[in-house]
Amino acid sequence: MVWLFSGVCRSKARLDGKRAVVTGANTGIGKETALELAARGCRVVLAVRDTAKGERAAADIRKKLSAQRRAGVPVGEVSVEHLDLASLKSVRACALRLLNDEHKAIHILVNNAGVMACPKAYTEDGHDLQFGVNHLGHFLLTALLLPRIRASVGPAPAGPTPAGPTPAGPTPAGPTPAGPAPAGPAPAGPAPAGPAPAGPTPAEPAPAEQGAAADGHPEPHPDPARIITVSSAAYAFSRIDFDDLRYERGYRPLFAYGRSKLANMLFTRELARRLKGKATKTIPTSLPPSAMDSRGKQL
């Protein structure tokens, strides 16, 4: 039971330039996660079923970070997207909106939303509600966003030599002239012989949005991407009956919850196995909510 008394995160790491999607971020663990990410400079999307509650949560996060902003410490933008994990159609629509702007990277996905030990019910697609919301909805969302997540991080290190910064100063165009370059500023006088470029000097391009490259694609971030799925210790006393995924025989709410959390754990382990050794670094992680007040029975 060490996880019950493991304390709080002491890291002071900044997340400037990153973008995160947090499901179920209008309350409980999801909201606190979004608040902490935004406080570290990360842009956060609150993916929630009730957008009115989501907007109130976003406003509350902005209010709590206002003093930090006034002190000159950067904070991340907070926005809201509709996501109903009990509807695979809604999951696809949310993913499409998140992917529609190719300028925007996704560096962190927190699969947090869920229901716990609720009465027997079914999703829009006919799945057991707890299994559908807690596992299947997040499974589909992760699968749809995974290509963008992987494109949002730089390649994994190829060897022990660290990548250093580019030397200061522009690289001269054209062939390198023979002999040493003269020191000091270029002498005044006519331009050297040779054809001048046709037309006016092109204006500098407008700076790309933070997290996006000038060519319209996500700017790869040097840090690994993270896919975090909130599970539960309840997985330990559960098993998955693949002949009764709708849990039509002998439904027990807490065991149905545990089964959905076991699916979260198995999904995370398999995703980690498949991503191991890939060219871009993406780290899937699963964690229990511990003894936090998560408003767990809310969707």
Side-chain angles (χ1 to χ4, degrees):
M1 303 294 285
V2 174
W3 51 272
L4 280 173
F5 309 101
S6 55
V8 297
C9 176
R10 304 294 180 186
S11 170
K12 302 297 182 183
R14 295 286 303 174
L15 298 173
D16 302 279
K18 291 191 176 185
R19 182 172 179 244
V21 177
V22 184
T23 69
N26 60 291
T27 188
I29 298 172
K31 183 180 177 183
E32 291 302 314
T33 300
L35 172 63
E36 186 64 28
L37 291 171
R40 294 167 184 257
C42 183
R43 290 167 294 148
V44 186
V45 178
L46 314 184
V48 299
R49 183 175 63 94
D50 188 327
T51 53
K53 291 182 179 179
E55 292 293 352
R56 288 196 293 271
D60 187 50
I61 290 172
R62 296 184 193 107
K63 181 179 179 181
K64 288 180 177 179
L65 296 179
S66 59
Q68 179 176 321
R69 185 183 291 107
R70 288 194 299 270
V73 180
V75 300
E77 298 175 1
V78 181
S79 59
V80 177
E81 283 288 352
H82 177 257
L83 171 66
D84 183 357
L85 289 161
S87 165
L88 298 182
K89 179 180 178 181
S90 174
V91 174
R92 290 189 177 94
C94 178
L96 183 62
R97 290 191 300 273
L98 291 170
L99 297 172
N100 196 39
D101 188 344
E102 64 179 8
H103 290 242
K104 293 185 177 179
I106 301 174
H107 305 97
I108 302 168
L109 172 61
V110 183
N111 293 321
N112 161 79
V115 290
M116 177 183 177
C118 57
K120 185 175 181 178
Y122 297 98
T123 68
E124 178 182 285
D125 306 280
H127 302 291
D128 167 56
L129 183 64
Q130 296 193 76
F131 194 76
V133 169
N134 298 350
H135 171 59
L136 294 178
H138 282 131
F139 177 96
L140 178 59
L141 181 66
T142 303
L144 293 172
L145 298 183
L146 186 58
R148 175 64 58 84
I149 293 171
R150 294 187 61 199
S152 300
V153 296
T161 304
T166 304
T171 302
T176 305
T201 303
E204 290 189 7
E209 179 186 346
Q210 188 180 34
D215 62 1
H217 295 287
E219 181 69 46
H221 198 283
D223 294 339
R226 304 277 179 169
I227 300 173
I228 302 162
T229 301
V230 178
S231 183
S232 168
Y235 85 91
F237 57 78
S238 304
R239 67 181 184 87
I240 298 176
D241 183 353
F242 290 97
D243 294 324
D244 186 22
L245 288 177
R246 283 168 50 88
Y247 217 138
E248 295 177 316
R249 299 191 296 267
Y251 181 83
R252 289 182 289 178
L254 192 57
F255 280 83
Y257 172 72
R259 185 173 69 166
S260 71
K261 295 292 129 178
L262 175 58
N264 288 157
M265 296 286 286
L266 295 174
F267 165 56
T268 300
R269 291 188 64 175
E270 178 61 17
L271 182 60
R273 186 189 70 81
R274 295 191 181 199
L275 292 176
K276 186 177 181 180
K278 296 295 184 182
T280 54
K281 193 68 172 174
T282 304
I283 303 176
T285 308
S286 186
L287 57 89
S290 189
M292 292 179 280
D293 179 10
S294 63
R295 305 292 190 268
K297 292 191 178 183
Q298 297 184 14
L299 180 59

